[in-house]
Amino acid sequence: MVVGRHVDFGENGSCLRIVRHGNGEVRAIKDEPGFRLDFNPPLPPGNLYQQHRQQHDPPVVSRICYRGGINYRSDISQWVSGFPSTDASLSSFAKRTILQHFSSTHQTNSTVNVLNRYVGGGRLDGLLTQSPHTPVAGCTTTLSREDGPGWHGSICRVRFLVLTDSSHPFIAWISLLEWTDGTVDVRVATTEAPVADAGGAFKHCFPVTTLLARVALGRVAPYVIDRQVDDDNDDDSDSDGHGGWWDDMDGDSDGEDSGAEEDNDEGDGDKHDDSDSGGGQGHTRRHPSLSGGGKKAGGEGGQLGEERNA
């Protein structure tokens, strides 16, 4: 719930508040040293957030994360100071903390696959190399974060695509975790109520989330939702090295998708079976939680609609 200018996290009086000290130090959520925000941090010249830095909404480094919650099998749920992470902007940090707390305190179901970043014509590569401030068709907002090696064993970047707004009775989002070997963990998560007697496949249990995810993922959707196998034959390349036809087609100044790849998914929802084969088979790497921790790619048991591929 929103209380005045603050987001109330509903426990221990914590809320999304900003505290500014006389020495210029800024803290968030808790007025403690471990909750400091460092604005405009020095970033390498090739860093994506450095390249697309916005003066009015700069990148932020913090150690703030939410630990515990019903989805992490922990009796302790609280905001803590952990390893440092870099959010693409201050607004991205704010959205991340809100979604982080929500996902930790609400029952969610998800499906995940590990894919080559150029599968489906380079859609994933395009989403991960474009400006983190670029709107994405089919999404209400996006947020991006880069984690240091303390979280996952190596530096990695994750982008979240929020699929729902206040008109929906549930929350759904996609997370894209970029690894240094050219693969991406793609997870679709939702709090949508499952359809009764729909079977175990995610797309049948959560049909509205599935429709929303297909629009955002475009040609990648069959590999995540329908469990289509990545045979590497459609990994289109292009002269600029940024992910094939999608990158070239999506050249609008406002970053909106051209819509071409949306048509490619229409009517193919049931073309592929729901086997557990796919690009992520055999992977056991950790998928990011919103708090920066990890979950094994391939999903966790015991959640309705969860599909395993590890």
Side-chain angles (χ1 to χ4, degrees), residues 39-299:
F39 297 95
N40 277 315
L43 299 173
N47 183 278
L48 186 68
Y49 304 161
Q50 172 65 27
Q51 293 175 348
H52 300 283
R53 182 190 298 260
Q54 295 182 330
Q55 185 175 359
H56 68 283
D57 195 11
V60 176
V61 170
S62 76
R63 295 176 175 268
I64 301 171
C65 65
Y66 191 80
R67 288 282 177 83
I70 62 174
N71 293 313
Y72 298 94
R73 300 176 177 86
S74 173
D75 295 331
I76 301 176
S77 301
Q78 60 183 340
W79 290 99
V80 300
S81 176
F83 295 108
S85 293
T86 303
D87 290 278
S89 63
L90 178 59
S91 60
S92 186
F93 163 81
K95 289 182 284 187
R96 190 253 298 177
T97 57
I98 294 171
L99 187 57
Q100 188 178 108
H101 182 270
F102 179 88
S103 68
S104 298
T105 55
H106 292 74
Q107 180 65 47
T108 61
N109 293 281
S110 63
T111 184
V112 61
N113 208 350
V114 184
L115 300 171
N116 183 294
R117 66 184 300 140
Y118 298 107
V119 71
R123 173 62 167 168
L124 296 177
D125 183 70
L127 289 169
L128 291 168
T129 56
Q130 68 183 188
S131 167
H133 315 297
T134 301
V136 176
C139 302
T140 57
T141 191
T142 70
L143 48 146
S144 299
R145 185 189 78 220
E146 183 177 274
D147 292 333
W151 288 119
H152 312 285
S154 63
I155 296 176
C156 63
R157 189 164 61 239
V158 58
R159 190 178 191 190
F160 296 93
L161 313 177
V162 181
L163 303 175
T164 50
D165 57 25
S166 58
S167 68
H168 297 90
F170 62 90
I171 305 296
W173 64 91
I174 298 169
S175 62
L176 308 174
L177 175 63
E178 175 184 6
W179 295 98
T180 56
D181 65 356
T183 59
V184 180
D185 284 17
V186 185
R187 179 182 294 267
V188 181
T190 185
T191 61
E192 179 182 356
V195 174
D197 302 322
F202 183 91
K203 65 180 180 180
H204 298 314
C205 290
F206 310 102
V208 180
T209 297
T210 295
L211 290 175
L212 296 172
R214 288 192 188 280
V215 175
L217 290 173
R219 286 176 60 183
V220 175
Y223 300 97
V224 181
I225 297 171
D226 303 315
R227 321 308 291 173
Q228 177 176 321
V229 178
D230 175 14
D231 59 8
D232 293 328
N233 289 331
D234 66 345
D235 297 347
D236 303 335
S237 60
D238 65 355
S239 58
D240 65 8
H242 286 89
W245 72 268
W246 175 83
D247 180 62
D248 294 334
M249 291 289 290
D250 194 22
D252 299 338
S253 60
D254 62 356
E256 294 288 341
D257 290 347
S258 64
E261 72 271 13
E262 293 179 25
D263 295 335
N264 291 331
D265 279 332
E266 291 180 1
D268 67 355
D270 296 321
K271 184 166 63 176
H272 307 289
D273 64 25
D274 289 284
S275 66
D276 285 339
S277 60
Q281 188 171 9
H283 286 256
T284 57
R285 291 178 302 188
R286 295 168 67 83
H287 191 279
S289 68
L290 281 155
S291 60
K295 298 179 182 178
K296 286 185 178 180

